Structures are given as structure tokens and as C-alpha cells.
Amino acid sequence: MLHLVGETIDKHRARYGAETGRLVQIMRGIYVAAEDDADAVLFDHALRIAAYLYPNAYLCGASAEQLAPMPDRRLFLSGRYNVRTRLRNLEIVQNRAPDAPETETAQTADPMGDLRVRRSTLRFRYLESFRRRSEAGAAMTIEMKSDIAARLVEAAGSEKEAIIECWQLAEANGWRKEAGRAEAFIATPLREAPQRGTALHVGWHGEKIGVLSHDGSAWRWEPTATEGATPVRTGAPGRLPPFIESLLPEGWLERVLKPKSERERVSAGKRYMSNIVISENPDDLRALPADVLEGRLDAYTHGGVFAGGYAGPAPTFDETLEERMAALYASTATPRLSGVQIKAPMNLSHDGVLRPAGDRAFTHILKPSPGAGFEDLPLVEAACLAAARACGIETAAHAIVSMPDDLPDALLVERFDIRRDRNDRRRMAMEDMASVRGVGPSEKYEGSIEQVARALRGVSSDAEADVAALLGRAVFAWLTGDGDFHLKNMAVLRVAPDGAENFTSVRFAPTYDAVTTRVFPGLEDDHLALSLAGKRNRLSSDDFVRAGVTMGISAEAARNIVVSLCGRLSTHLDDLDPASDRVDRAIAVWKRRIEITAD
């Protein structure tokens, strides 16, 4: 059952219901009964929720035609501003309305009863379907356009009169190009132009979930009809879906692969993080190795150091380690990784041998030293991850790996977004916060922690706990001088049981890629990657409390998070033996920050 504060329930009863576990808060003012499937309730009541959140907006495009969200759970509105709102798996996309929209009132119903909604008229949504950069228009299928065009002609009495009416409405809104396309569509045979380029089949856990194609100028995502959960949602017209874009190589790997275009960036590989396969050959979706844990890193770690056998990339007489690692990616079957650091996809077998994951399950990530003043980066990152775990922050399993031929130590990290063993039938996907917010990787340093909290509340299945965890992670990033806590270094982990229609768990992911950046060359003055309380530097405990309140956390709870992390990190440092001079310098940064923040 859906509850809307001020309409079906008052705020005191809603708060009491949430405190007693009878209700689950989706976002401010919106609650769902705890025993219900929240995703299903939100989808079934999408129109009512949209009217509650945006009373002055109207349904547009495909949503106006169908009076329902799209199968990929997007609902389209037009209003005063461009804004996107995520409520778990439901995404409400509002675009800026034109100057003179033509709307009507429509009668519909949902499980709560009859509902009257405003939507664009038939001829107006017909014009909307020809807007080039409109998600609402792009979601209109060729069949929808054909049906609407036929209805317009029938109502007007002739093609000519229908075209005249469309032009009159278009002129009032400055939509001359849209009117020209609408006229051509009515006056010519209604058929879809053949697609150019190669279709790429996208699979998740061995099952096809859609087709990604490029027509020479723009991308197109066509989801496969499925009753199960899917991690990929349609993005802006002509662009890659945000989730797919978040998986693509960047930094070192992009320089190694040297893609000539974005199409080549996608098609040059087949295996990606989050159990995704992208291939021209649909048979690859099942044929390529499934990513399932074999050997567990904790079983082969002693004192934080990997104790298994290393059979991974190593330098030779005429090749450096970096060249040998780059050679791994010559095979399209080698899993691709995002992130700017040098990384290699690895497999840890049941007998504790670490090998490249080219033709094996991709279970672990090897992060060697990049050199050039960053030789101790793996040691500093390992120290940060160990400190995070000591502070009660969930982290990825990790260990230091002694590399051959006197090379600097590397860091090995165990994947937490894959199945635990062959009997595990859950479907999992990790989505970074850049993808959740619908922004590209190039915008990963833009925005604030408070904005991330709002996005997290829109998708998390335990928003209160996850927003508190986000604040704690931001405090930890400040205490440890981590200037790389950006949108791609935080994520949610989605989990769907076998056969489930929706993700039953969407939680803030364990910590990964945590490092004291301030101790490396050129980064001595590094500050927070995202602003908090309007600041990126010189933060105090009051700043974190102020940000916490903005994020929906009580001032007392926010202050307790700061005090607890300062205390636990300080206790951890009492018995810590530095692994290197660079780690020792990092610890000095931590101690100074604790003194400043704990006051």
C-alpha cells in the first residue's frame, strides 16, 4: 500500500510507522507498507506519485500516450524545469515545457482508485515524438507514431487538415523542425528506416537483456522483454545508457586500447564488470566464462599479505610489467575495467593460484604500482582499506601481493559484485553513483555529497542506513586525506534473487579505491572530490553535522558518526606499524585530521 503524507496519512503517523517498522520511507512524504514489494507499489502508483511530487507538471510523450510508465520504468513529464527523480527502480523524468503546451485532462485508475491527470493532447504528443533530444519523444515507438498519425487524420478529415493543425500548434511553440518531420511522416509511407551499423547483444548473468546499436550518428538501446530485474535503463536520446557508459575503459586502459571512436570503445571488448557481456555474437552471452568466486582471498592471506601462488603478468627481458599487462587486453575476451589506474583482471583458483582471467572467471583485481613517484600507491591504499575496516566501514577483501623480479608490491582486491559459489543463483550488479545520477564519467568530480545522498535515497532499499553510511564514508575520506572519493568511487550493489522480478536489495556498496592522495607528488593540497556543506577543504565536525541534517540525519546521529570515526581511527593507529615511508606520511595526515575534526 502507498501512503502520501497530507493525502492518505499525516506526518506524525507516517513517522511513527517508519520508526516501528510498519512503513518504509521511499523519500520525503512517500511511504510504502513494509510487507509490500516497494518496487511494484511504486510502479503501480507512478502517476499518482508524479502528481503528488509535481502538481503543476503534465504527462508528455510516451507516458501521455500510454498513461503509464515505460517498461523500463521511466515516467515522462513536462514542467518548469529539467529534473530527474529516482524512487527505487522508478525514474520520473521531467523536461522543460515549451511556451504554449496543449494539454487535456484524462481519467485513469490505479490500485488506490480513480485518478485524473493532465497530459499533452494527441496532436501535441505527436509533435513531441519528433523532438530530437527528448527522452519522452524518443520513447515513442514507430507503432505509436503511426497510430497517432492515423487518429489525427481521421479526426481532421484529411491528411492536409491534420498537417495544418500540427503546424499551427508547432508555430506557437517554435517547433518548426518538429512540424516538418511530423508532416513528412503523415505524407509518406509509415515505415521505420533500416538501421545502419552493427548490433551488439547485451547479456547479464548469461541472459540477454537488450540490443545496443549505433546508426552512424547516435546510440539506440532496445531492452529485451523480460519479467526479471535488469540493471540497464535507457538514458538520454542518442547516448549510451548510463550503466553501460560507466563500465567502459578510461585512463590507462583507454590509452592502451586506443579506441578511434565511442563505438570502438564498446565493441572492442566483450566482458565487463557487473557480470555484463557485450558482443556481436549472441552465443557469447552464455559461452564466455561466468564470474563466480572460486578461491577466497581471506583463505590465502596472512598478515595482510597474499600467501597463494602468483602466476600473473610479470616483466620479461624485453618487456616491462606495464607492456605485459597491456598485452593481456589484446584479446577481446579479457574483461575490461573502468578507472584511471593500471589494473589487471585476475582469477584466484580453489588451490590459491592467481592467474589472468582471460579464459577464466574474473574474480579479483590486481593493482600494481604505477611508478613515477606513486610506487607505494598499493601500500597506501591497503592501509586505507584496513583503516576503514577497523572503523567499522564495510570494505572489499584485499591483500598485498609480493611481485616477482623485485617489483614494488601490488594490491589484490576481491570482487564483491559476483556470486559467492556455483550454488549462488543471485543476480548482482554494481552501479556507480555517476550512473545512478545519470551523469557521464567526465562529471565524476561535480556535485556534492548531499546530492549523492538524495540520489541514494531514491534507490536504496534501506535509505536511512545507507545515507548514514555515506556520511560516514565522507567523514573517513576527510580524515584520511582521500581526494578521490568521487562519483565513480562510490556505488550501490543491486541484488535480485533467482527469478525475482525486481531487485530486493539495493545497498550502498562496500568501500573500494580509498587512498590518501595528499602524500603523492602534485597532490599535496588535494581536497575532497565532492563538496560537503558547501566546502571541499577546512572541514570541521560542525560541517559534517550540518551536511548530515541536510541529508536527513538528525544532528545528534551525525555528530555521533563523526565522534565514532575519529575515535576508532585513533585507536587503530595506536598499534599500527607503517609499511613504508609513504604510509607513515599518510598516518601523519590522519592524526592531524583527527585532532582538527574531533574538537
Side-chain angles (χ1 to χ4, degrees), residues 172-212:
N173 290 281
W175 285 6
R176 297 183 61 84
K177 291 182 179 179
E178 287 80 359
R181 298 184 196 110
E183 177 181 350
F185 194 88
I186 289 176
T188 57
L190 307 180
R191 60 177 182 270
E192 190 168 14
Q195 290 188 7
R196 295 173 288 167
T198 303
L200 299 172
H201 303 272
V202 181
W204 182 50
H205 287 288
E207 298 295 330
K208 185 174 177 178
I209 59 173
V211 176
L212 191 62

Short mmCIF file of all heavy atoms in Angstrom, two decimals, residues 172-212:
data_model
loop_
_atom_site.label_atom_id
_atom_site.label_comp_id
_atom_site.label_asym_id
_atom_site.label_seq_id
_atom_site.Cartn_x
_atom_site.Cartn_y
_atom_site.Cartn_z
N ALA A 172 3.26 28.06 -32.52
CA ALA A 172 3.08 28.71 -31.22
C ALA A 172 4.19 28.36 -30.24
O ALA A 172 4.40 29.07 -29.24
CB ALA A 172 1.72 28.32 -30.63
N ASN A 173 4.91 27.27 -30.52
CA ASN A 173 5.96 26.81 -29.60
C ASN A 173 7.36 26.86 -30.22
O ASN A 173 8.32 26.40 -29.60
CB ASN A 173 5.66 25.37 -29.14
CG ASN A 173 4.47 25.31 -28.22
OD1 ASN A 173 4.58 25.61 -27.03
ND2 ASN A 173 3.31 24.93 -28.75
N GLY A 174 7.47 27.38 -31.42
CA GLY A 174 8.77 27.44 -32.07
C GLY A 174 9.29 26.09 -32.51
O GLY A 174 10.50 25.88 -32.58
N TRP A 175 8.39 25.18 -32.82
CA TRP A 175 8.78 23.80 -33.18
C TRP A 175 8.66 23.59 -34.69
O TRP A 175 8.00 22.66 -35.15
CB TRP A 175 7.88 22.80 -32.45
CG TRP A 175 8.21 22.65 -30.99
CD1 TRP A 175 9.09 23.37 -30.25
CD2 TRP A 175 7.61 21.70 -30.07
NE1 TRP A 175 9.11 22.94 -28.96
CE2 TRP A 175 8.21 21.92 -28.81
CE3 TRP A 175 6.65 20.72 -30.21
CZ2 TRP A 175 7.87 21.18 -27.69
CZ3 TRP A 175 6.31 19.98 -29.09
CH2 TRP A 175 6.91 20.18 -27.84
N ARG A 176 9.28 24.41 -35.47
CA ARG A 176 9.17 24.29 -36.92
C ARG A 176 9.80 23.00 -37.44
O ARG A 176 9.26 22.34 -38.33
CB ARG A 176 9.80 25.51 -37.60
CG ARG A 176 9.09 26.83 -37.27
CD ARG A 176 9.72 27.99 -38.02
NE ARG A 176 9.62 27.81 -39.47
CZ ARG A 176 8.57 28.14 -40.20
NH1 ARG A 176 7.51 28.69 -39.61
NH2 ARG A 176 8.56 27.95 -41.51
N LYS A 177 10.96 22.65 -36.91
CA LYS A 177 11.61 21.41 -37.36
C LYS A 177 10.76 20.19 -37.02
O LYS A 177 10.64 19.26 -37.82
CB LYS A 177 13.00 21.29 -36.74
CG LYS A 177 14.01 22.31 -37.24
CD LYS A 177 15.37 22.07 -36.61
CE LYS A 177 16.39 23.08 -37.13
NZ LYS A 177 17.73 22.89 -36.51
N GLU A 178 10.18 20.20 -35.83
CA GLU A 178 9.34 19.08 -35.42
C GLU A 178 8.12 18.97 -36.33
O GLU A 178 7.71 17.87 -36.73
CB GLU A 178 8.89 19.26 -33.97
CG GLU A 178 9.97 19.03 -32.93
CD GLU A 178 10.89 20.22 -32.76
OE1 GLU A 178 10.72 21.24 -33.47
OE2 GLU A 178 11.80 20.14 -31.90
N ALA A 179 7.56 20.14 -36.70
CA ALA A 179 6.39 20.13 -37.58
C ALA A 179 6.74 19.60 -38.97
O ALA A 179 5.95 18.87 -39.59
CB ALA A 179 5.81 21.54 -37.69
N GLY A 180 7.94 19.94 -39.44
CA GLY A 180 8.37 19.43 -40.74
C GLY A 180 8.49 17.92 -40.74
O GLY A 180 8.08 17.25 -41.70
N ARG A 181 9.05 17.37 -39.66
CA ARG A 181 9.18 15.92 -39.57
C ARG A 181 7.80 15.27 -39.42
O ARG A 181 7.55 14.19 -39.98
CB ARG A 181 10.08 15.55 -38.39
CG ARG A 181 11.50 16.08 -38.49
CD ARG A 181 12.36 15.59 -37.34
NE ARG A 181 13.57 16.38 -37.24
CZ ARG A 181 13.86 17.24 -36.27
NH1 ARG A 181 13.00 17.41 -35.28
NH2 ARG A 181 14.98 17.92 -36.26
N ALA A 182 6.94 15.90 -38.64
CA ALA A 182 5.58 15.37 -38.46
C ALA A 182 4.81 15.34 -39.77
O ALA A 182 4.10 14.37 -40.07
CB ALA A 182 4.83 16.20 -37.41
N GLU A 183 4.96 16.40 -40.57
CA GLU A 183 4.29 16.46 -41.87
C GLU A 183 4.80 15.36 -42.79
O GLU A 183 4.01 14.67 -43.46
CB GLU A 183 4.53 17.82 -42.52
CG GLU A 183 3.92 17.94 -43.91
CD GLU A 183 4.17 19.28 -44.56
OE1 GLU A 183 4.65 20.20 -43.86
OE2 GLU A 183 3.88 19.41 -45.77
N ALA A 184 6.13 15.18 -42.83
CA ALA A 184 6.71 14.15 -43.70
C ALA A 184 6.24 12.76 -43.30
O ALA A 184 6.01 11.90 -44.14
CB ALA A 184 8.23 14.24 -43.66
N PHE A 185 6.07 12.55 -41.99
CA PHE A 185 5.65 11.24 -41.50
C PHE A 185 4.21 10.94 -41.94
O PHE A 185 3.88 9.81 -42.29
CB PHE A 185 5.77 11.21 -39.98
CG PHE A 185 5.67 9.83 -39.39
CD1 PHE A 185 6.79 9.04 -39.24
CD2 PHE A 185 4.44 9.32 -38.98
CE1 PHE A 185 6.70 7.77 -38.68
CE2 PHE A 185 4.34 8.06 -38.43
CZ PHE A 185 5.48 7.28 -38.28
N ILE A 186 3.35 11.97 -41.91
CA ILE A 186 1.96 11.76 -42.34
C ILE A 186 1.87 11.57 -43.85
O ILE A 186 1.11 10.74 -44.35
CB ILE A 186 1.09 12.97 -41.91
CG1 ILE A 186 0.91 12.97 -40.40
CG2 ILE A 186 -0.27 12.95 -42.61
CD1 ILE A 186 0.14 14.16 -39.87
N ALA A 187 2.67 12.33 -44.59
CA ALA A 187 2.54 12.35 -46.05
C ALA A 187 3.27 11.23 -46.75
O ALA A 187 3.11 11.04 -47.96
CB ALA A 187 3.05 13.70 -46.58
N THR A 188 4.10 10.45 -46.05
CA THR A 188 4.87 9.37 -46.67
C THR A 188 4.53 8.05 -46.01
O THR A 188 3.99 8.02 -44.90
CB THR A 188 6.38 9.63 -46.54
OG1 THR A 188 6.72 9.77 -45.16
CG2 THR A 188 6.79 10.88 -47.28
N PRO A 189 4.86 6.93 -46.66
CA PRO A 189 4.59 5.62 -46.04
C PRO A 189 5.24 5.53 -44.67
O PRO A 189 6.40 5.94 -44.50
CB PRO A 189 5.21 4.63 -47.03
CG PRO A 189 5.19 5.35 -48.34
CD PRO A 189 5.42 6.80 -48.01
N LEU A 190 4.51 5.00 -43.70
CA LEU A 190 4.99 4.95 -42.33
C LEU A 190 5.78 3.67 -42.11
O LEU A 190 5.23 2.62 -41.83
CB LEU A 190 3.79 5.03 -41.37
CG LEU A 190 2.86 6.22 -41.62
CD1 LEU A 190 1.72 6.21 -40.62
CD2 LEU A 190 3.63 7.52 -41.55
N ARG A 191 7.05 3.78 -42.26
CA ARG A 191 7.89 2.62 -42.02
C ARG A 191 9.17 3.08 -41.35
O ARG A 191 9.61 4.21 -41.52
CB ARG A 191 8.22 1.88 -43.31
CG ARG A 191 8.96 2.73 -44.33
CD ARG A 191 9.31 1.91 -45.56
NE ARG A 191 10.06 2.66 -46.53
CZ ARG A 191 9.52 3.38 -47.51
NH1 ARG A 191 8.20 3.42 -47.63
NH2 ARG A 191 10.28 4.04 -48.34
N GLU A 192 9.75 2.19 -40.62
CA GLU A 192 10.97 2.53 -39.89
C GLU A 192 12.17 2.37 -40.80
O GLU A 192 12.30 1.36 -41.50
CB GLU A 192 11.12 1.63 -38.66
CG GLU A 192 12.22 2.06 -37.72
CD GLU A 192 12.14 1.34 -36.39
OE1 GLU A 192 11.41 0.32 -36.31
OE2 GLU A 192 12.80 1.78 -35.45
N ALA A 193 13.04 3.36 -40.80
CA ALA A 193 14.24 3.30 -41.64
C ALA A 193 15.14 2.17 -41.15
O ALA A 193 15.26 1.93 -39.95
CB ALA A 193 15.00 4.62 -41.57
N PRO A 194 15.75 1.44 -42.09
CA PRO A 194 16.65 0.37 -41.67
C PRO A 194 17.83 0.91 -40.88
O PRO A 194 18.36 1.97 -41.20
CB PRO A 194 17.12 -0.25 -43.00
CG PRO A 194 16.93 0.85 -44.01
CD PRO A 194 15.76 1.62 -43.55
N GLN A 195 18.21 0.20 -39.87
CA GLN A 195 19.33 0.63 -39.05
C GLN A 195 20.65 0.31 -39.74
O GLN A 195 20.80 -0.70 -40.41
CB GLN A 195 19.29 -0.08 -37.70
CG GLN A 195 18.17 0.37 -36.81
CD GLN A 195 18.30 -0.23 -35.43
OE1 GLN A 195 19.29 -0.86 -35.11
NE2 GLN A 195 17.28 -0.03 -34.61
N ARG A 196 21.60 1.24 -39.54
CA ARG A 196 22.94 1.02 -40.04
C ARG A 196 23.84 0.62 -38.87
O ARG A 196 23.55 0.90 -37.72
CB ARG A 196 23.48 2.29 -40.70
CG ARG A 196 22.72 2.69 -41.96
CD ARG A 196 23.21 4.05 -42.44
NE ARG A 196 22.73 5.11 -41.56
CZ ARG A 196 23.19 6.35 -41.59
NH1 ARG A 196 24.15 6.69 -42.44
NH2 ARG A 196 22.71 7.26 -40.76
N GLY A 197 24.95 0.01 -39.21
CA GLY A 197 25.90 -0.35 -38.18
C GLY A 197 25.65 -1.74 -37.63
O GLY A 197 24.75 -2.46 -38.08
N THR A 198 26.43 -2.10 -36.63
CA THR A 198 26.38 -3.44 -36.06
C THR A 198 25.61 -3.46 -34.76
O THR A 198 25.78 -2.58 -33.92
CB THR A 198 27.81 -3.95 -35.81
OG1 THR A 198 28.54 -3.91 -37.04
CG2 THR A 198 27.79 -5.37 -35.28
N ALA A 199 24.75 -4.43 -34.61
CA ALA A 199 24.00 -4.59 -33.36
C ALA A 199 24.86 -5.34 -32.36
O ALA A 199 25.51 -6.35 -32.69
CB ALA A 199 22.71 -5.35 -33.63
N LEU A 200 24.89 -4.86 -31.14
CA LEU A 200 25.64 -5.51 -30.06
C LEU A 200 24.65 -6.08 -29.06
O LEU A 200 23.80 -5.35 -28.53
CB LEU A 200 26.56 -4.49 -29.37
CG LEU A 200 27.63 -3.85 -30.25
CD1 LEU A 200 28.33 -2.73 -29.49
CD2 LEU A 200 28.64 -4.90 -30.70
N HIS A 201 24.74 -7.36 -28.82
CA HIS A 201 23.85 -8.03 -27.87
C HIS A 201 24.42 -7.89 -26.47
O HIS A 201 25.62 -8.08 -26.24
CB HIS A 201 23.71 -9.51 -28.24
CG HIS A 201 23.21 -9.72 -29.63
ND1 HIS A 201 21.88 -9.79 -29.95
CD2 HIS A 201 23.89 -9.85 -30.81
CE1 HIS A 201 21.74 -9.96 -31.25
NE2 HIS A 201 22.95 -10.00 -31.80
N VAL A 202 23.57 -7.53 -25.53
CA VAL A 202 23.99 -7.29 -24.15
C VAL A 202 23.39 -8.37 -23.25
O VAL A 202 22.16 -8.58 -23.25
CB VAL A 202 23.56 -5.90 -23.67
CG1 VAL A 202 24.03 -5.66 -22.23
CG2 VAL A 202 24.14 -4.82 -24.58
N GLY A 203 24.25 -9.05 -22.51
CA GLY A 203 23.80 -10.09 -21.60
C GLY A 203 24.19 -9.79 -20.17
O GLY A 203 25.17 -9.09 -19.91
N TRP A 204 23.40 -10.29 -19.25
CA TRP A 204 23.67 -10.12 -17.82
C TRP A 204 23.44 -11.47 -17.15
O TRP A 204 22.37 -12.04 -17.25
CB TRP A 204 22.74 -9.05 -17.25
CG TRP A 204 22.95 -8.74 -15.80
CD1 TRP A 204 24.12 -8.45 -15.17
CD2 TRP A 204 21.93 -8.68 -14.80
NE1 TRP A 204 23.90 -8.21 -13.84
CE2 TRP A 204 22.57 -8.34 -13.58
CE3 TRP A 204 20.54 -8.87 -14.81
CZ2 TRP A 204 21.87 -8.20 -12.38
CZ3 TRP A 204 19.85 -8.73 -13.62
CH2 TRP A 204 20.51 -8.40 -12.42
N HIS A 205 24.48 -12.00 -16.53
CA HIS A 205 24.44 -13.34 -15.94
C HIS A 205 24.00 -14.37 -16.97
O HIS A 205 23.23 -15.29 -16.68
CB HIS A 205 23.50 -13.37 -14.74
CG HIS A 205 24.06 -12.69 -13.52
ND1 HIS A 205 25.07 -13.20 -12.76
CD2 HIS A 205 23.75 -11.49 -12.97
CE1 HIS A 205 25.35 -12.38 -11.77
NE2 HIS A 205 24.58 -11.33 -11.88
N GLY A 206 24.46 -14.21 -18.22
CA GLY A 206 24.21 -15.19 -19.26
C GLY A 206 22.89 -15.04 -19.98
O GLY A 206 22.63 -15.77 -20.94
N GLU A 207 22.04 -14.09 -19.54
CA GLU A 207 20.74 -13.90 -20.17
C GLU A 207 20.74 -12.59 -20.96
O GLU A 207 21.22 -11.56 -20.48
CB GLU A 207 19.63 -13.86 -19.12
CG GLU A 207 19.49 -15.14 -18.31
CD GLU A 207 19.05 -16.33 -19.16
OE1 GLU A 207 18.33 -16.09 -20.16
OE2 GLU A 207 19.40 -17.46 -18.82
N LYS A 208 20.18 -12.63 -22.17
CA LYS A 208 20.11 -11.42 -22.98
C LYS A 208 19.13 -10.42 -22.39
O LYS A 208 17.99 -10.76 -22.06
CB LYS A 208 19.68 -11.77 -24.41
CG LYS A 208 19.68 -10.58 -25.37
CD LYS A 208 19.39 -11.04 -26.79
CE LYS A 208 19.33 -9.86 -27.75
NZ LYS A 208 19.10 -10.30 -29.15
N ILE A 209 19.58 -9.15 -22.23
CA ILE A 209 18.70 -8.12 -21.66
C ILE A 209 18.45 -6.98 -22.64
O ILE A 209 17.64 -6.09 -22.34
CB ILE A 209 19.28 -7.55 -20.35
CG1 ILE A 209 20.67 -6.95 -20.57
CG2 ILE A 209 19.30 -8.61 -19.27
CD1 ILE A 209 21.21 -6.22 -19.34
N GLY A 210 19.11 -6.99 -23.81
CA GLY A 210 18.85 -5.93 -24.76
C GLY A 210 19.83 -5.92 -25.91
O GLY A 210 20.77 -6.73 -25.98
N VAL A 211 19.60 -4.99 -26.85
CA VAL A 211 20.47 -4.81 -28.01
C VAL A 211 20.89 -3.35 -28.05
O VAL A 211 20.06 -2.44 -27.96
CB VAL A 211 19.76 -5.19 -29.32
CG1 VAL A 211 20.65 -4.89 -30.52
CG2 VAL A 211 19.38 -6.67 -29.31
N LEU A 212 22.19 -3.14 -28.21
CA LEU A 212 22.76 -1.81 -28.31
C LEU A 212 23.23 -1.62 -29.75
O LEU A 212 24.01 -2.42 -30.25
CB LEU A 212 23.93 -1.69 -27.34
CG LEU A 212 24.53 -0.31 -27.07
CD1 LEU A 212 23.51 0.62 -26.44
CD2 LEU A 212 25.75 -0.45 -26.15
#
